[in-house]
């Protein structure tokens, strides 16, 4: 069983930046970030393969968010720049225990963090 612990959320003004971190208690393969705003379904944000050779982003964050990982630390990051009020959500880290590919489907991921709140004020 792998545990994921997110950190780095908070309140920021529009145009600002935040960096989310997700530390895993064990080895993982592909990892991803999802988010869920009040009253909305959980939404894919970004994913990264184990080697970091493949990344994927939802269109609304391309050019503003960057996903990266440090396998020596079992940690994945999400650098969020030029934040907008519509980025406000609880952000969840997810880990795949078996695949080297990246996916946008929540069901592909075996482990989930508890979530960290990101609030962007206008």
């Amino acid at each position: 069983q792998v545990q994921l612990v997110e950190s780095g959320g908070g309140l920021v003004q529009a145009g600002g930046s935040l960096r989310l971190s997700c530390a895993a208690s064990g080895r993982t393969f592909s990892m991803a970030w999802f988010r869920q705003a009040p009253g909305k379904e959980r939404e894919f944000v970004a994913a990264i393969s184990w080697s970091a050779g493949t990344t994927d982003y939802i269109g609304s964050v391309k050019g503003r968010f960057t996903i990266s990982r440090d396998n020596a630390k079992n940690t994945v990051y999400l650098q969020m720049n030029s934040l907008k009020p519509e980025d406000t959500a609880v952000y969840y880290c997810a880990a795949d225990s078996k695949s080297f590919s990246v996916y946008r489907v929540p069901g592909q991921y075996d482990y989930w963090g508890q979530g960290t709140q990101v609030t962007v004020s206008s």
Side-chain angles (χ1 to χ4, degrees):
Q1 188 77 9
V2 173
Q3 292 186 328
L4 305 177
V5 179
E6 300 110 332
S7 60
L11 173 64
V12 64
Q13 289 188 333
S17 298
L18 284 174
R19 188 193 195 204
L20 305 183
S21 299
C22 173
S25 62
R27 182 181 178 182
T28 60
F29 289 84
S30 298
M31 297 187 74
W33 289 95
F34 289 77
R35 66 187 179 187
Q36 188 166 18
K40 295 188 177 181
E41 293 187 354
R42 191 165 296 190
E43 174 185 53
F44 169 81
V45 177
I48 187 167
S49 62
W50 182 85
S51 67
T54 300
T55 57
D56 187 25
Y57 298 90
I58 192 173
S60 60
V61 308
K62 279 184 179 178
R64 300 189 297 121
F65 291 11
T66 302
I67 190 170
S68 61
R69 66 188 299 164
D70 183 340
N71 288 338
K73 297 181 179 179
N74 289 332
T75 300
V76 66
Y77 306 96
L78 185 67
Q79 177 66 45
M80 305 185 294
N81 299 328
S82 302
L83 282 160
K84 303 176 181 181
E86 50 264 43
D87 294 319
T88 295
V90 177
Y91 283 70
Y92 296 91
C93 174
D96 186 336
S97 66
K98 54 192 175 297
S99 176
F100 289 102
S101 299
V102 296
Y103 297 92
R104 296 188 171 197
V105 180
Q108 179 67 29
Y109 297 91
D110 306 291
Y111 305 109
W112 291 83
Q114 80 287 354
T116 185
Q117 177 70 47
V118 171
T119 303
V120 184
S121 63
S122 58

